[in-house]
Amino acid sequence: MRQSLKRQVPYHLMLLPGVVILLIFSYGPMVGMVMAFQKFNPVLGFFRSPWVGFDNFVYVSLLPDTLQVLWNTVFIAFWKIVIGFGFPIVVALFMNELQNMAFKRTVQTIVYLPHFLSWVILGGIMIDILSPSTGIVNTAMKAVGMKPVFFLALPDVFPWTLIVSDVWKEFGFTTVIYLAALTGIDPALYEAAKIDGAGRWRCMLNVTLPSILPTIVLMGVLSLGNVLNAGFEQVFNLYSPVVYSSGDILDTFVYRLGLLDAQYGVAAVVGLFKSAVSFVFIVVSYRLAYKLANYSIF
Amino acid sequence: MRIKTATGDRIFGIVNGTFFCILALLCLLPLVNVLAVSFSSSTAASAGIVTLWPVNFTLKSYQYAIAKPEFVRSFTVSVVRLLLGVGINMVLTIVCAYPLSKDRKAFGARGFYVWFFFITMIFSGGLIPWYMTIQTLGLGNSIWALILPGAVPVFNVILLLNFYRSLPVQLEESAYMDGAGAWQALWKIVVPLSTPALATIALFSAVGHWNSWFDGLVLMSDPKNYPLQSYLQTVVVSRDMTLYQHATKEQLEMLQSVSDRTTKAAQIFIATLPILLAYPFLQRYFVKGLTLGGVKG
């Protein structure tokens, strides 16, 4: 017993640096959330800033923008989750039907390239190609007789610009996850189905789809945790005051309140709300993933 | 009957193939267009006549971009960040994943540590407390502010510990028999056996560091210390917000198509180049990485 405990000492030592880093940079900010109850002053810090009870909460609830921002966040996140979940499944099912292997590999390689680029790069590209005067998208639309659309400045259009471009960036990545699951299918299953007279569609629905169903369930369940993640990096790089009415989200709201207007306590309240709600959804999603797909992360 | 199916198959094949051609083009064309713009003359670019091939081919934009001291400086910051950041990430991932890959019998406190790591994945203090913590520590404006807060990539730790678990235990046991301690077992046996997993994780970490821009933007008070993507954010994407408040639609259009379009395009492309160069490796290890942590019982 003593011997084995002694043998565990190096394990603790190995974890020590990581634990210290996480204590400071992950648990530190969790403690720092107390600033939601303070009139926070950076000079005084987390422990000496004056306490104001729930004043910041009342203030946030009375701000005219709060509800709109919350609605925008949920709206954008909801459609990103739904389309970002469904589209890759369809793409994977049909990509699996491609007979020419070289073509299949080329398509795969191309479609997940955008996943590896940052929203600064893609934001720069989008601003360029969506420009109403010189952008290639509007040039093409004009060429076929359509009116140019200012995708980044019309409040009705902007959320959909975000949703579509986010799906565009990420669908390839998700598709590849499904394709990885598809490589494990036993070819004998297809042969058996064919002997039973199943055509292409039957094979797709009765062999391919069921074999990736666990992955589908898992991806769907895990995406639940994103209900309040409308995509800060994307919105930050594409929005402007003219589309705040439909494109301002919780994260950008926190950024402006906290880091631009220096209303630290107030911004922390909004952040606290987001963290708390997200936490509940993430916990539920992991529970579901464990129950439905027998998935456990550790 | 058989002929009918064959024709149906062929039609399906053509339609499906066309669909994927279009899909692939949709992913590629925006990048090609911006690449073409970066090699075009600025008059052609502001006239909006560049499509997929440069008009009046010139390297001026690239010369201009590379000659900018800010650009070169931020590129250097990014390279330093990448080397330091990936190095530290890798060491910490390797040593944290090892004890966590042990079962409860071998490491009694495992359960506690697992929760300690896991909680950081499902709950966060949020932007403002995170920012204040780093500033309070006096890290603001230092390169360490870009490296230390993310020094333990918990998700990668999980990927790696699952990989460690798939290794045969006999090798480690025989090392223990020969009198090796946990450190030797880790560095001499486990790490050499884990090179594919480590390559995957190193690539993830490198892409993450290269693409990060927000931390640099808010934590570096001096733009001299911006990494490349933060610098690009300020010149390519960010538009002066104050100008927007009462702008008309025409003014907005003007603002967004200012004539340094080609320079912006060139800078975008230089920043994308490292990712494109690493892409063959990314591709090779990326699917492996997905199955590393994969679904398990």
Side-chain angles (χ1 to χ4, degrees), chain A residues 27 109 118 128 173 237 275, chain B residues 116 124 229 233 261 279 286:
Chain A
Y27 287 89
T109 306
S118 73
D128 187 286
F173 183 83
N237 284 312
S275 288
Chain B
F116 183 89
S124 91
Q229 302 260 351
Q233 208 284 332
R261 192 179 168 205
Y279 202 56
F286 153 72

Side-chain angles (χ1 to χ4, degrees), chain B residues 1-259:
Chain B
M1 183 62 199
R2 181 171 289 168
I3 293 172
K4 200 176 150 198
T5 340
T7 332
D9 266 5
R10 195 169 309 145
I11 293 173
F12 176 85
I14 293 170
V15 173
N16 203 23
T18 317
F19 170 72
F20 278 103
C21 276
I22 295 173
L23 204 62
L25 284 178
L26 279 178
C27 290
L28 207 55
L29 291 189
L31 301 154
V32 175
N33 175 239
V34 175
L35 184 63
V37 167
S38 72
F39 284 114
S40 299
S41 73
S42 56
T43 35
S46 34
I49 51 171
V50 183
T51 51
L52 301 176
W53 201 254
V55 176
N56 304 332
F57 182 90
T58 169
L59 288 173
K60 248 194 210 137
S61 309
Y62 285 88
Q63 285 162 346
Y64 179 69
I66 294 173
K68 273 175 141 179
E70 301 91 348
F71 187 80
V72 180
R73 197 162 45 210
S74 62
F75 198 96
T76 322
V77 174
S78 272
V79 171
V80 173
R81 172 191 186 154
L82 185 76
L83 296 176
L84 262 179
V86 173
I88 291 179
N89 278 352
M90 290 311 289
V91 172
L92 287 175
T93 309
I94 288 170
V95 297
C96 286
Y98 183 62
L100 295 180
S101 71
K102 300 290 162 199
D103 58 18
R104 269 201 28 213
K105 242 176 27 204
F107 184 31
R110 177 185 183 266
F112 164 77
Y113 284 112
V114 161
W115 276 101
F116 183 89
F117 278 71
F118 185 54
I119 286 171
T120 65
M121 283 184 77
I122 57 179
F123 191 73
S124 91
L127 172 66
I128 308 298
W130 168 83
Y131 175 84
M132 284 304 162
T133 304
I134 294 167
Q135 294 293 357
T136 309
L137 291 167
L139 289 175
N141 215 19
S142 136
I143 186 127
W144 295 107
L146 309 179
I147 291 166
L148 293 181
V152 184
V154 179
F155 186 74
N156 291 354
V157 171
I158 293 170
L159 287 184
L160 191 60
L161 80 86
N162 282 324
F163 185 84
Y164 283 168
R165 280 184 173 173
S166 69
L167 297 173
V169 279
Q170 291 85 348
L171 287 167
E172 253 182 275
E173 271 165 11
S174 64
Y176 280 124
M177 294 292 184
D178 294 344
W183 289 98
Q184 278 118 318
L186 173 58
W187 292 111
K188 299 242 165 78
I189 311 278
V190 176
V191 168
L193 286 173
S194 308
T195 37
L198 294 174
T200 309
I201 288 167
L203 278 168
F204 283 175
S205 149
V207 172
H209 273 292
W210 184 258
N211 279 342
S212 293
W213 53 275
F214 184 71
D215 51 359
L217 197 66
V218 295
L219 295 171
M220 302 295 112
S221 47
D222 186 349
K224 270 188 188 149
N225 296 326
Y226 279 172
L228 184 60
Q229 302 260 351
S230 307
Y231 163 75
L232 279 185
Q233 208 284 332
T234 61
V235 295
V236 176
V237 174
S238 157
R239 294 145 281 166
D240 190 359
M241 293 280 185
T242 51
L243 291 173
Y244 270 81
Q245 222 76 54
H246 305 286
T248 64
K249 227 179 117 195
E250 286 70 32
Q251 285 171 313
L252 281 169
E253 288 181 22
M254 270 280 297
L255 276 170
Q256 295 210 330
S257 62
V258 275
S259 63

Side-chain angles (χ1 to χ4, degrees), chain A residues 30-131:
Chain A
M30 289 182 207
V31 175
M33 289 175 116
V34 296
M35 64 200 286
F37 302 93
Q38 294 174 331
K39 186 166 176 43
F40 184 79
N41 178 341
V43 182
L44 297 173
F46 292 133
F47 302 112
R48 285 178 298 153
S49 293
W51 297 89
V52 293
F54 283 90
D55 283 9
N56 293 328
F57 288 79
V58 175
Y59 181 83
V60 168
S61 69
L62 294 177
L63 276 179
D65 299 336
T66 307
L67 265 185
Q68 185 64 47
V69 167
L70 182 60
W71 166 249
N72 295 345
T73 309
V74 174
F75 179 85
I76 296 166
F78 174 81
W79 286 110
K80 278 185 180 175
I81 290 173
V82 171
I83 305 176
F85 170 68
F87 188 57
I89 298 173
V90 178
V91 173
L93 285 179
F94 281 90
M95 203 183 270
N96 192 45
E97 299 295 322
L98 288 176
Q99 303 297 321
N100 184 331
M101 284 303 135
F103 179 67
K104 187 174 164 186
R105 221 170 302 127
T106 314
V107 172
Q108 262 193 52
T109 306
I110 293 172
V111 292
Y112 69 80
L113 174 62
H115 168 80
F116 291 101
L117 304 180
S118 73
W119 272 116
V120 168
I121 300 289
L122 294 177
I125 291 176
M126 281 181 63
I127 291 169
D128 187 286
I129 65 170
L130 295 180
S131 150

Side-chain angles (χ1 to χ4, degrees), chain A:
Chain A
M1 188 62 198
R2 272 192 85 84
Q3 185 62 32
S4 89
L5 268 184
K6 209 171 144 197
R7 209 166 130 176
Q8 292 179 22
V9 171
Y11 294 158
H12 292 281
L13 286 177
M14 286 174 183
L15 287 164
L16 186 65
V19 166
V20 171
I21 294 273
L22 290 179
L23 261 184
I24 297 173
F25 294 104
S26 294
Y27 287 89
M30 289 182 207
V31 175
M33 289 175 116
V34 296
M35 64 200 286
F37 302 93
Q38 294 174 331
K39 186 166 176 43
F40 184 79
N41 178 341
V43 182
L44 297 173
F46 292 133
F47 302 112
R48 285 178 298 153
S49 293
W51 297 89
V52 293
F54 283 90
D55 283 9
N56 293 328
F57 288 79
V58 175
Y59 181 83
V60 168
S61 69
L62 294 177
L63 276 179
D65 299 336
T66 307
L67 265 185
Q68 185 64 47
V69 167
L70 182 60
W71 166 249
N72 295 345
T73 309
V74 174
F75 179 85
I76 296 166
F78 174 81
W79 286 110
K80 278 185 180 175
I81 290 173
V82 171
I83 305 176
F85 170 68
F87 188 57
I89 298 173
V90 178
V91 173
L93 285 179
F94 281 90
M95 203 183 270
N96 192 45
E97 299 295 322
L98 288 176
Q99 303 297 321
N100 184 331
M101 284 303 135
F103 179 67
K104 187 174 164 186
R105 221 170 302 127
T106 314
V107 172
Q108 262 193 52
T109 306
I110 293 172
V111 292
Y112 69 80
L113 174 62
H115 168 80
F116 291 101
L117 304 180
S118 73
W119 272 116
V120 168
I121 300 289
L122 294 177
I125 291 176
M126 281 181 63
I127 291 169
D128 187 286
I129 65 170
L130 295 180
S131 150
S133 48
T134 56
I136 190 170
V137 174
N138 278 301
T139 310
M141 285 168 65
K142 278 183 254 179
V144 295
M146 289 162 78
K147 272 194 177 163
V149 176
F150 201 172
F151 294 96
L152 295 175
L154 296 175
D156 290 341
V157 181
F158 184 69
W160 291 103
T161 311
L162 294 176
I163 294 160
V164 171
S165 59
D166 184 68
V167 172
W168 173 79
K169 180 182 194 283
E170 299 298 344
F171 85 89
F173 183 83
T174 322
T175 302
V176 174
I177 295 178
Y178 289 127
L179 289 176
L182 278 174
T183 52
I185 301 183
D186 186 356
L189 283 175
Y190 286 107
E191 275 156 37
K194 269 183 197 145
I195 290 166
D196 289 347
R200 185 192 294 276
W201 299 104
R202 298 240 112 210
C203 280
M204 203 192 261
L205 289 178
N206 295 342
V207 181
T208 317
L209 196 59
S211 13
I212 56 168
L213 199 61
T215 317
I216 292 178
V217 171
L218 182 65
M219 302 292 288
V221 163
L222 290 183
S223 67
L224 264 184
N226 286 325
V227 272
L228 290 185
N229 269 338
F232 172 71
E233 302 214 337
Q234 180 195 25
V235 177
F236 187 86
N237 284 312
L238 293 174
Y239 83 152
S240 59
V242 283
V243 290
Y244 279 178
S245 61
S246 67
D248 196 15
I249 58 169
L250 285 175
D251 293 313
T252 46
F253 193 50
V254 169
Y255 168 80
R256 290 201 317 280
L257 276 176
L259 297 187
L260 297 186
D261 303 342
Q263 303 194 57
Y264 304 113
V266 177
V269 168
V270 182
L272 177 71
F273 170 78
K274 196 204 153 188
S275 288
V277 175
S278 297
F279 174 73
V280 173
F281 274 93
I282 293 171
V283 169
V284 169
S285 78
Y286 276 123
R287 291 256 101 209
L288 282 175
Y290 182 68
K291 282 232 169 83
L292 299 176
N294 205 14
Y295 171 86
S296 69
I297 188 158
F298 273 97

